[in-house]
């Protein structure tokens, strides 16, 4: 049976129920109460468009309706003693764990220096060849038979091996493997549409995901680009967000590595494998990869 669908306004409110005696009650259903202070905190977390809706007469009526629903449902749940169930305790423990993790990350990431427009400008100036609207692209390719062969290619690329070296060793295309997979420059309209869409969406130095073409898998690399540079002002906002995301990801990876050293970590590989075998793959045995 599907859960009853409650309006979005209801679902995005935080579930805080404790109240102070000195705080004015806004909604009461049986012994359940929602105070003015709690409601103010709930509204603070709402997105701007929802706040604008609540400012209208229709929004006020909808809000009252949703608040009443919340309190009567909460009161009924208490009457049925659901708070004493093991399932409730399990969910609350999981909620507590996730909430504490989020609070920790929010607190720690505040110390991270913000990405400025100047940072983005400097990155742009140092990597101008990455911000070109291509007119022509130079491609290299590696042609393989199946996904297993493609996986071997990507594993070697990830390790830092030269694309041309891998092409000479593994590519099935005899015409281009000797030249390291190089197939030259192409303008729009000169390539198969499927390949062109990928080639002109990549930046210089980037490698494509495998494309199925004529019964084989093709992996392309953009080795050179001819075109016009994109003006910094056009991509400033997007670039700042990209640099911010990368900075946060780098910080997070370092932070996790430090915590692994700080806290003793133990994994029962046998128990984990048994659970996966039983729950996910129908009893078939799998062997976990060894950590390097």
């Amino acid at each position: 049976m599907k859960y009853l669908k409650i309006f979005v306004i209801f679902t995005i409110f935080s579930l805080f129920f404790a109240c102070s005696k000195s705080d004015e009650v806004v909604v009461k259903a049986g012994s359940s109460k929602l105070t003015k202070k709690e409601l103010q905190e709930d509204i603070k977390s709402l997105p701007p468009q929802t706040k604008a809706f609540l400012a209208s007469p229709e929004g006020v009526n909808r809000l009252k309706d949703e608040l009443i629903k919340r309190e009567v449902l909460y009161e009924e749940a208490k009457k049925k003693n659901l708070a004493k169930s093991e399932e409730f305790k399990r969910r609350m423990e999981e909620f507590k764990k996730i909430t504490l993790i989020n609070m920790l990350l929010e607190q720690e990431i505040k110390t991270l220096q913000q990405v400025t427009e100047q940072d983005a400008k400097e990155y742009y100036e140092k990597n101008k060849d990455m911000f070109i609207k291509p007119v022509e692209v130079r491609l290299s390719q590696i042609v393989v038979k199946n996904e297993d062969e493609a996986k071997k290619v990507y594993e070697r690329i990830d390790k830092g091996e030269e694309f041309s070296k891998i092409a000479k060793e593994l590519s099935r295309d005899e015409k281009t493997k000797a030249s390291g997979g190089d197939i030259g420059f192409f303008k729009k309209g000169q390539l198969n549409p499927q390949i062109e869409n990928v080639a002109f969406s990549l930046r210089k130095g980037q490698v494509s995901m495998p494309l199925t073409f004529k019964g084989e898998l093709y992996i392309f690399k953009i080795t050179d680009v001819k075109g016009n540079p994109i003006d910094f002002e056009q991509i400033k906002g997007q670039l700042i967000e990209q640099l911010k995301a990368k900075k946060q990801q780098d910080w997070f990876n370092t932070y996790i590595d430090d915590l692994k050293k700080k806290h003793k970590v133990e994994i029962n590989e046998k128990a984990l494998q048994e659970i996966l075998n039983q729950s996910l793959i129908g009893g078939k045995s799998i062997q976990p990869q060894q950590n390097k």
Side-chain angles (χ1 to χ4, degrees):
M1 180 179 178
K2 294 183 178 179
Y3 292 110
L4 293 176
K5 293 184 178 180
I6 309 300
F7 287 109
V8 172
I9 295 175
F10 169 66
T11 59
I12 59 182
F13 278 157
S14 303
L15 299 179
F16 297 115
F17 299 109
C19 65
S20 167
K21 291 182 179 179
S22 60
D23 196 7
E24 187 177 357
V25 174
V26 179
V27 180
K28 182 179 179 182
S31 62
S32 299
K33 300 174 183 178
L34 177 70
T35 68
K36 187 176 180 180
K37 182 178 179 181
E38 290 167 344
L39 181 56
Q40 287 173 332
E41 289 300 316
D42 285 341
I43 291 176
K44 278 183 185 178
S45 65
L46 297 177
Q49 61 269 29
T50 304
K51 290 180 181 178
F53 173 69
L54 293 179
S56 67
E58 181 185 356
V60 172
N61 289 331
R62 178 71 67 84
L63 176 61
K64 288 191 291 186
D65 186 45
E66 298 305 326
L67 292 176
I68 292 170
K69 287 178 183 177
R70 182 167 94 168
E71 295 310 312
V72 297
L73 286 169
Y74 178 52
E75 182 67 8
E76 183 64 14
K78 289 196 300 181
K79 293 288 185 183
K80 293 182 180 296
N81 290 319
L82 293 181
K84 296 180 180 180
S85 69
E86 291 302 316
E87 178 63 13
F88 174 76
K89 294 175 184 177
R90 185 191 68 79
R91 291 193 190 186
M92 287 302 297
E93 190 62 31
E94 186 64 23
F95 176 75
K96 182 174 74 172
K97 182 186 294 187
I98 298 300
T99 301
L100 287 174
I101 289 172
N102 288 336
M103 289 177 65
L104 172 67
L105 293 177
E106 288 170 5
Q107 174 181 292
E108 295 297 320
I109 208 167
K110 286 179 182 178
T111 63
L112 193 64
Q113 189 175 359
Q114 293 298 309
V115 175
T116 65
E117 182 176 330
Q118 183 60 33
D119 294 330
K121 181 68 173 178
E122 290 175 4
Y123 184 85
Y124 171 84
E125 293 295 339
K126 291 178 182 177
N127 301 276
K128 273 191 173 180
D129 60 339
M130 294 175 58
F131 304 102
I132 294 176
K133 188 173 183 180
V135 175
E136 290 183 68
V137 294
R138 186 170 189 170
L139 295 175
S140 288
Q141 67 178 19
I142 298 175
V143 184
V144 295
K145 185 177 181 180
N146 52 44
E147 291 184 2
D148 287 337
E149 291 184 4
K151 183 179 178 181
K152 292 177 183 177
V153 170
Y154 287 112
E155 286 175 348
R156 292 178 63 173
I157 291 173
D158 289 341
K159 291 178 181 178
E161 287 193 52
E162 290 292 331
F163 191 91
S164 58
K165 178 186 176 184
I166 303 171
K168 289 177 181 179
E169 294 181 21
L170 300 182
S171 183
R172 300 171 62 85
D173 185 66
E174 296 298 332
K175 294 180 181 179
T176 61
K177 68 183 299 182
S179 62
D182 181 54
I183 57 176
F185 275 100
F186 294 90
K187 296 179 180 179
K188 284 191 175 183
Q190 294 182 321
L191 290 165
N192 173 278
Q194 182 186 9
I195 298 174
E196 181 176 293
N197 288 337
V198 172
F200 281 85
S201 67
L202 297 175
R203 293 175 180 172
K204 181 179 177 180
Q206 287 188 317
V207 177
S208 74
M209 296 298 290
L211 293 177
T212 303
F213 187 64
K214 295 182 178 179
E216 294 180 304
L217 294 179
Y218 284 69
I219 301 168
F220 295 101
K221 180 177 180 178
I222 308 300
T223 58
D224 202 359
V225 175
K226 293 180 180 180
N228 304 311
I230 302 172
D231 186 71
F232 174 70
E233 291 299 323
Q234 288 183 264
I235 59 170
K236 178 175 65 177
Q238 179 184 354
L239 185 54
I240 289 174
E241 290 303 314
Q242 288 177 353
L243 293 177
K244 186 188 298 182
K246 185 180 185 306
K247 191 169 190 176
Q248 290 179 351
Q249 186 62 56
D250 291 344
W251 168 83
F252 180 76
N253 292 339
T254 302
Y255 185 59
I256 291 298
D257 287 340
D258 290 341
L259 290 180
K260 287 179 181 178
K261 296 173 185 176
K262 181 179 179 181
H263 303 290
K264 186 178 179 181
V265 177
E266 297 180 5
I267 296 180
N268 187 330
E269 298 282 0
K270 182 180 178 181
L272 176 62
Q273 185 175 336
E274 287 176 354
I275 292 171
L276 293 176
N277 291 346
Q278 295 169 5
S279 304
L280 301 180
I281 58 174
K284 296 180 182 179
S285 178
I286 58 172
Q287 295 299 321
Q289 293 183 342
Q290 296 297 319
N291 292 328
K292 296 182 180 179

